[in-house]
Amino acid sequence: MKVHTFTGGAFVQNGYLAVCEDNGQALVVDPGAAASGMVRHLRRTGARPSAILLTHAHLDHIEGISAVRGAFPEIPIHLHPEDRPLYDGVPDQAAAFGLPAVDVPPPTDELTPGGCVRFGEYVLEVRHAPGHSPGHVVLYAPADDLAFVGDVVFAGSIGRTDLPGGDFQVLIESIRRELLTLPPQTRLLPGHGPETTVAHEARHNPFLVPRYGGELA
């Protein structure tokens, strides 16, 4: 699996293209403000997107869906159902940050915890990780030792929990259950900032390491 990162917008959000190099199938993960770059890359390389996968439905992770759908009208949109209220309320999200209204087409498919998304030769496991938002998921590719973690954890930090539906203790439990149980070498590809690994965050993240006043060992 080849992963390409596209970063942009006021929130400096990371969207990703995951491409199967064997057959050119691709997944679009969290198309944000840099979605037009994703579309240009797909057209330039000839990769064929089979789905849009959303780790969660905050504005910065979905504002580019219409750009992708404009280029690939039939592409399905996958979202955990507990984040549907956030998705449907995207105009209110934009207004809360003083941003122009965003129009997004409705999701077409549900991401089911414990289920899988297949494309090309690869499988992504869907792991429910609420706390930043109620329907947040982590998309884990065991064969490649990587996970798309959205806004659950960052390099040296964790997702904010002061937005509607956020809960600090629930987020900490999600990190403990869904991320720190992954192999230490697993690459974590977050919604903001540089990538990191399970091992690095378990040892150094001040929100997670007890000696720094964090919650986990």
Side-chain angles (χ1 to χ4, degrees), residues 95 104 161:
V104 291
T161 57

Side-chain angles (χ1 to χ4, degrees), residues 68-94:
V68 178
R69 265 294 190 86
F72 305 97
E74 302 303 319
I75 188 170
I77 302 166
H78 296 245
L79 176 71
H80 190 287
E82 290 189 40
D83 258 24
R84 184 61 188 268
L86 280 173
Y87 192 97
D88 291 342
V90 68
D92 294 330
Q93 291 191 53

Side-chain angles (χ1 to χ4, degrees), residues 55-56 58 82-83 86 127-138 149 151-153 158-175 177-178:
T55 61
H56 64 297
H58 283 149
E82 290 189 40
D83 258 24
L86 280 173
R127 302 169 73 100
H128 188 206
H132 178 66
S133 73
H136 201 300
V137 299
V138 167
V149 298
D151 290 358
V152 171
V153 70
I158 61 174
R160 61 187 295 179
T161 57
D162 60 333
L163 297 173
D167 187 303
F168 177 80
Q169 291 300 330
V170 171
L171 179 61
I172 291 296
E173 288 296 329
S174 292
I175 295 170
R177 182 184 65 249
E178 304 297 345

Side-chain angles (χ1 to χ4, degrees), residues 42-129:
L42 290 166
R43 285 176 166 163
R44 184 174 65 251
T45 62
R48 302 181 308 280
S50 58
I52 295 171
L53 305 183
L54 304 174
T55 61
H56 64 297
H58 283 149
L59 169 68
D60 52 330
H61 289 253
I62 67 175
E63 62 181 312
I65 289 176
S66 292
V68 178
R69 265 294 190 86
F72 305 97
E74 302 303 319
I75 188 170
I77 302 166
H78 296 245
L79 176 71
H80 190 287
E82 290 189 40
D83 258 24
R84 184 61 188 268
L86 280 173
Y87 192 97
D88 291 342
V90 68
D92 294 330
Q93 291 191 53
F97 287 100
L99 298 173
V102 174
D103 182 34
V104 291
T108 60
D109 295 84
E110 293 185 355
L111 289 172
T112 303
C116 295
V117 177
R118 300 178 183 274
F119 76 109
E121 301 298 318
Y122 298 97
V123 174
L124 293 179
E125 298 177 1
V126 180
R127 302 169 73 100
H128 188 206

Side-chain angles (χ1 to χ4, degrees), residues 5 10 13 17 20 32 36 38 45 66 68 73 87 92 96 105 113 116 140 146 150 152 169 180 182-183 199:
T5 307
Q13 182 266 349
L17 287 179
C20 175
S36 59
M38 294 178 165
T45 62
S66 292
V68 178
Y87 192 97
D92 294 330
C116 295
Y140 171 52
L146 67 85
V152 171
Q169 291 300 330
L180 296 187
L182 298 177

